[in-house]
Amino acid sequence: MMTIKLKIDKQDIEVPEGTTILEAARMLGIRIPTLCHHEALKPYGACRICLVEVRAGTARASTLVASCVFPVRQGLEVTTDSDEIREVRAGLLELLLARCPGSRQIRELAGEFGVHETPYTPRDHLCILCGLCVRVCDEIVGARAIDFSFRGQALDVKPPLLTPAGTCIACGTCTTVCPTEAVKLEEIARVPYGHAVSETHPGERCRVCGTHPTKPEFPANYDDWFPK
Ligand code: SF4
Ligand code: FES
C-alpha cells in the first residue's frame, strides 16, 4: 500500500494513501472540532467547522480546506490552529448560534472560539442540518426513513416526500449520532422530526448502541405530522 508523508502542526506523519487530514490529525492526537463527521459514515463536508490550513510543496500561500473530506498529499504542511482558522470558525459559529441558540453543544463550541453572542437574528432550531441522521439511516441502518426536504431557509429533515414510508424500525440510531440532540426517540414520530415510524413493525433496538428499549407512541393521525 502506498503511503503519504506530511506534516501536521510541524509533526511528521506517514499514513496510507486515501487517509483524510482529519484522520491523520487524530492519529497524532490533535483535536479538530467536527459537527457533521462520524467515523462510521462517509465523509460529507457540510459544516466546515473542521477547516484547516494546508500548504503544498514550495507554495507560499496556504489555503483553507475541510479536513474531514480532504485526502492527505505528499509533502503537505497542515496547520490546525491559527488566527485565521479561529476567525473563520468563529464566523461559522455565529451563524450556528443564531440558528440554534438553545443548543448546549453549539453554545459550548462557540464559547471555545470566544463567541458568546451573534449579530444575526436568532431562530429557534436545534437541528444544524449536518445530515448525520439522514446518512446513518441510509448507510448503516439501510432504512432510508428520513431525508432532507424543502430548500433554502425551509430545508429540514423529514420522511422522504413527506410521506410516511413505514421503513423506520425505531432503532434510535439517528438519535445517537445527532450532535445537538435535536432528534429524540420519544419525538421521532411527531412534528417536527416525524420519521415515518412503521405502524405495524414492532420496533428494534440498534445492534450497536441498543439504548432504546421501546418504540415511541405511533401518531394517531398522519395529518398531525405536518402543520398546515
Ligand atoms: S437532526 Fe441532528 S443529526 Fe439530523 S441533520 Fe439535524 S443536527 Fe444533524
Ligand atoms: S466536520 Fe468536516 S465539514 Fe463538518
Side-chain angles (χ1 to χ4, degrees):
M1 181 191 302
M2 188 169 163
T3 58
I4 306 284
K5 290 181 180 176
L6 71 157
K7 277 186 197 294
I8 305 181
D9 291 347
K10 299 192 167 48
Q11 298 182 62
D12 291 308
I13 185 168
E14 186 169 355
V15 294
E17 188 180 24
T19 305
T20 63
I21 291 176
L22 176 67
E23 290 167 333
R26 286 181 172 176
M27 288 175 201
L28 288 170
I30 296 169
R31 174 178 173 260
I32 297 174
T34 61
L35 284 171
C36 72
H37 180 78
H38 192 289
E39 56 269 25
L41 301 172
K42 291 180 198 147
Y44 193 55
C47 73
R48 318 311 275 186
I49 212 74
C50 69
L51 56 84
V52 295
E53 280 175 28
V54 296
R55 197 166 64 83
T58 54
R60 282 194 194 164
S62 59
T63 185
L64 293 174
V65 299
S67 62
C68 69
V69 288
F70 200 89
V72 293
R73 293 190 190 152
Q74 211 68 257
L76 210 61
E77 289 186 18
V78 181
T79 304
T80 67
D81 197 3
S82 69
D83 288 348
E84 187 183 0
I85 291 170
R86 294 184 77 81
E87 195 178 319
V88 178
R89 284 187 189 150
L92 292 168
L93 285 160
E94 282 180 347
L95 290 165
L96 288 173
L97 198 57
R99 179 176 171 83
C100 311
S103 165
R104 174 181 58 81
Q105 293 83 355
I106 295 300
R107 282 203 311 272
E108 284 178 2
L109 188 57
E112 269 187 48
F113 291 88
V115 176
H116 303 288
E117 50 191 41
T118 173
Y120 306 107
T121 307
R123 311 286 292 276
D124 62 351
H125 299 287
L126 273 181
C127 172
I128 58 168
L129 302 171
C130 70
L132 278 171
C133 57
V134 173
R135 288 178 285 138
V136 82
C137 191
D138 175 16
E139 294 178 30
I140 304 289
V141 182
R144 297 186 182 176
I146 42 176
D147 207 337
F148 286 112
S149 295
F150 308 115
R151 292 186 180 182
Q153 289 195 0
L155 190 67
D156 204 352
V157 175
K158 297 281 186 214
L161 304 176
L162 304 185
T163 306
T167 55
C168 175
I169 56 173
C171 66
T173 311
C174 52
T175 69
T176 67
V177 295
C178 179
T180 57
E181 296 174 9
V183 51
K184 302 175 181 62
L185 189 74
E186 310 75 47
E187 294 173 4
I188 63 175
R190 300 188 203 127
V191 174
Y193 296 109
H195 281 26
V197 182
S198 166
E199 194 168 9
T200 51
H201 198 285
E204 291 181 16
R205 289 176 191 235
C206 168
R207 279 189 296 257
V208 179
C209 72
T211 51
H212 294 303
T214 53
K215 182 179 170 180
E217 191 182 332
F218 191 76
N221 183 352
Y222 275 135
D223 291 342
D224 294 341
W225 285 25
F226 307 108
K228 297 280 183 299

